Amino acid sequence: MLTQDITKELEAVMEQLQQQGKEPTVALVKARMKTPVPMPALIATIKSWKNANGVPKIEVALQTPKEDDRITVLENTVAKLLDRIERLEAQMSEKTS
């Protein structure tokens, strides 16, 4: 399984909250994250931040495109290719006529 290191993003969120004078909570951190993070990882990060003022290295599984998105992309690609084939066939028939 491929993973993505989100430590720097978490650090940035925690520092931003601290600069705003806000206490980091699971809800506040989760709302500001661009990458989905599991609750246990958020809880461990907040505990570490409060105790050591640092963020441990956190990695999460890479997000794979949803199957519906993949199907839509494939359908669009097939439609474009079919259109291209039809245009090429029309050009070839004009040249042979």
Side-chain angles (χ1 to χ4, degrees):
M1 174 172 56
L2 298 174
T3 60
Q4 173 183 3
D5 185 357
I6 58 164
T7 306
K8 292 204 185 300
E9 184 182 353
L10 280 166
E11 284 175 346
V13 168
M14 301 296 262
E15 288 173 8
Q16 180 186 37
L17 288 170
Q18 187 178 36
Q19 289 172 355
Q20 294 173 352
K22 296 180 180 177
E23 182 76 20
T25 63
V26 172
L28 286 174
V29 174
K30 187 175 180 103
R32 286 170 171 74
M33 291 294 294
K34 294 175 186 164
T35 309
V37 182
M39 287 291 196
L42 284 176
I43 293 167
T45 300
I46 292 169
K47 284 182 181 179
S48 177
W49 179 264
K50 288 179 181 178
N51 293 334
N53 203 23
V55 175
K57 183 175 181 179
I58 304 289
E59 292 184 346
V60 295
L62 277 177
Q63 297 295 313
T64 56
K66 294 180 183 169
E67 191 168 328
D68 290 343
D69 295 340
R70 290 180 61 218
I71 291 171
T72 302
V73 169
L74 289 171
E75 287 174 341
N76 290 338
T77 303
V78 168
K80 289 176 185 176
L81 289 171
L82 286 173
D83 182 52
R84 186 173 177 192
I85 290 169
E86 289 171 359
R87 284 186 281 125
L88 289 171
E89 287 176 341
Q91 286 176 356
M92 287 178 61
S93 67
E94 288 175 6
K95 288 182 181 180
T96 58
S97 304

